[in-house]
Every structure is written in C-alpha cells, then in structure tokens.
Amino acid sequence: MSKKRSLDAGVRRAAGIGALGASIAFVGQMALADGARAAEEPNWCRTEYLSASVQLRGVVAGTQYADLYLRNSSDNDCELNWNVGLKLLDAEGNPLPTRVVRPSGKPKLVPVEYLSSARLRISWTTVPKAGEPAPCQPAPATLDVDPPTNEPEPMDIRTPWDFGPVCNNGQIRILSIS
C-alpha cells in the first residue's frame, strides 16, 4: 500500500472516529436533557395518601385566618404547591360559591416528607360585601380540597368546615405555602 493511500485511510478512519465521538456526545446530551426534563417534573403527592385539616389562627376585622394542612401518609416523600383547588360544600354535599385567589408568580414547590404536612395559610371574610345578603351565603359543612397532581382521576379530600359562611362570593385567599 502506498504512503498516500495509507495516509488517506488514516484520515478517513480519524474522521469516522470523530463522527462517532460527535454522535455519542449528541446522544449523551439528549439523555442529559431528558433527565433534566424528568427532574423538572414534580413528584406530586397522590391524593389517596393525603388528608386535610383546617385550624383557625385568628380573626381581624371580619377576616379569618387559618392553616390548611395537607398530611402525607404514604411511604414516600412528595411535593405540593399552592395551585390547590378548593370548593365549599353544604351539608348535602352541594357546591357553594367558591373563588380561590392565589399568590402571583411562579408556584413554590414544597417537599412533604412521610407523615409530615404542607401548610397553606388561607383567609376569608365573614362580612358581607356591598350587594351580598346577610348572611352572605349558607354556612359550608365541608371543604373539598383538590391538590395539584398528575393522576388521571384524583380523589376528593374533604375536611369539616366549622367557620361559618364565606363572603365576597365565597372568596378564599391562599396567602402562602410552607
């Protein structure tokens, strides 16, 4: 084999190895990108392992403040954020007017360890606004909580509501989560 042919074969071999290296690097970058996307997906708490409770914290000028606790009873840690759906229900389970107002900005993810709780600070008014009757609506019997999840059909989490009517068309403000 001549020197030129040997040199040409060596160049082609090196080019092939370079192309193979670039392909491997590209595949590795794609795997890292897929892993990063997977890491961005929250490990949502499953509703079947959550329970809810509400504890009143105080009243200031007709505005009530409470903590809504969502307790994780699964064997795994999971995550929640403030994109929780809330619905007030009467004693027969019929929905009452409910409007949830959340903080602005990107929802903060909160890890919830096994047998620990996420706490959402909430508030509402018991004073009828202009145009609302007195009382502003029937007193709810339960609060239906719908946490963020990737489950196709999440279960309802219900907790007793012993705090009277929620005025301003059933407005409940979520103030924070921790």
Side-chain angles (χ1 to χ4, degrees):
M1 181 185 281
S2 74
K3 276 186 166 181
K4 180 169 181 359
R5 228 185 255 171
S6 175
L7 185 59
D8 288 345
V11 168
R12 282 194 302 272
R13 194 173 312 118
I17 291 171
L20 177 62
S23 296
I24 291 171
F26 177 74
V27 169
Q29 288 173 345
M30 294 303 294
L32 285 174
D34 286 345
R37 273 194 290 278
E40 290 173 9
E41 283 295 313
N43 177 27
W44 295 118
C45 296
R46 294 184 53 86
T47 53
E48 65 188 293
Y49 297 113
L50 291 175
S51 59
S53 63
V54 180
Q55 293 181 351
L56 188 63
R57 293 296 175 207
V59 180
V60 177
T63 299
Q64 296 195 32
Y65 295 89
D67 291 330
L68 169 60
Y69 291 98
L70 294 173
R71 182 175 171 86
N72 175 16
S73 64
S74 76
D75 293 334
N76 301 307
D77 296 351
C78 57
E79 296 174 306
L80 290 170
N81 66 24
W82 63 54
N83 281 335
V84 173
L86 302 173
K87 190 178 353 171
L88 298 166
L89 305 172
D90 67 13
E92 287 79 41
N94 300 311
L96 295 170
T98 311
R99 291 185 310 122
V100 179
V101 178
R102 294 174 185 83
S104 61
K106 184 177 179 182
K108 173 185 170 186
L109 275 178
V110 173
V112 187
E113 296 176 355
Y114 168 66
L115 296 181
S116 294
S117 298
R119 181 187 71 190
L120 287 97
R121 179 70 40 102
I122 61 174
S123 71
W124 65 94
T125 183
T126 57
V127 178
K129 297 290 182 186
E132 284 188 311
C136 56
Q137 69 175 354
T142 57
L143 177 67
D144 187 21
V145 182
D146 183 20
T149 180
N150 58 1
E151 297 172 65
E153 294 183 31
M155 300 166 39
D156 292 337
I157 304 168
R158 292 194 175 161
T159 187
W161 184 269
D162 302 320
F163 313 109
V166 177
C167 295
N168 195 8
N169 298 310
Q171 179 176 289
I172 300 174
R173 290 188 169 279
I174 296 176
L175 305 172
S176 64
I177 185 169
S178 58

